[in-house]
């Protein structure tokens, strides 16, 4: 149990730092108030988790420990529903309806699409 907690915690540390860096560089390079960093982190994390679970389905390509480290730890730290919810709440308060629909639709549709593409990629390779 302690080993699993350490795997998740170390993966979460890596994912959280990655998420911060994505957000930081997106805010630094774009003048838009749209939450591009959150969208990119959520879509990229969805793609990564699709790859992880597709590899796990193959049986001997990934151990359970690697799956937990990557899916629960790294992806859990990297993606963020709380920032997504807060961004949407802010858009509602500001009556920024087009941004709200773009953000909500983009995160949901692109996230699901990214999971699918990650799975398809692994099926094509293996």
């Amino acid at each position: 149990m302690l080993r699993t907690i350490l795997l998740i915690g170390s993966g979460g540390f890596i994912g959280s730092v990655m998420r911060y860096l994505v957000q930081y560089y997106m805010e630094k390079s774009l003048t838009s108030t749209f939450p591009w960093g959150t969208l990119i982190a959520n879509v990229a994390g969805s793609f990564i988790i699709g790859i992880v679970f597709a590899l796990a389905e193959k049986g001997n390509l990934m151990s359970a420990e690697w799956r937990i480290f990557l899916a629960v730890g790294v992806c859990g730290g990297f993606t963020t529903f709380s920032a997504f919810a807060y961004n949407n709440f802010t858009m509602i308060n500001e009556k920024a309806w087009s941004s709200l629909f773009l953000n909500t639709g983009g995160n949901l549709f692109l996230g699901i699409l990214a999971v699918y593409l990650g799975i398809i990629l692994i099926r094509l390779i293996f």
Side-chain angles (χ1 to χ4, degrees), residues 74-121:
V74 175
C75 289
F78 185 56
T79 61
T80 174
F81 187 78
S82 57
F84 168 71
Y86 178 76
N87 291 331
N88 286 330
F89 177 78
T90 301
M91 289 174 208
I92 290 169
N93 280 340
E94 295 173 355
K95 296 180 178 31
W97 305 117
S98 59
S99 291
L100 173 69
F101 294 123
L102 176 64
N103 190 47
T104 304
N107 272 279
L108 293 175
F109 176 75
L110 294 174
I112 293 167
L113 179 64
V115 169
Y116 174 73
L117 292 174
I119 291 169
I120 294 300
L121 176 68

Side-chain angles (χ1 to χ4, degrees), residues 14-88:
I14 292 167
S16 295
V17 170
M18 288 171 35
R19 194 223 175 293
Y20 169 77
L21 292 173
V22 166
Q23 186 71 36
Y24 176 81
Y25 286 110
M26 292 307 298
E27 286 178 2
K28 192 173 183 176
S29 63
L30 299 175
T31 58
S32 171
T33 59
F34 186 80
W36 288 109
T38 301
L39 178 63
I40 290 169
N42 286 342
V43 173
S46 297
F47 181 71
I48 293 166
I49 208 165
I51 289 173
V52 168
F53 282 111
L55 285 171
E57 285 178 359
K58 296 294 180 186
N60 61 349
L61 295 177
M62 179 180 294
S63 70
E65 289 174 332
W66 270 106
R67 182 179 46 79
I68 289 170
F69 171 77
L70 292 170
V72 179
V74 175
C75 289
F78 185 56
T79 61
T80 174
F81 187 78
S82 57
F84 168 71
Y86 178 76
N87 291 331
N88 286 330

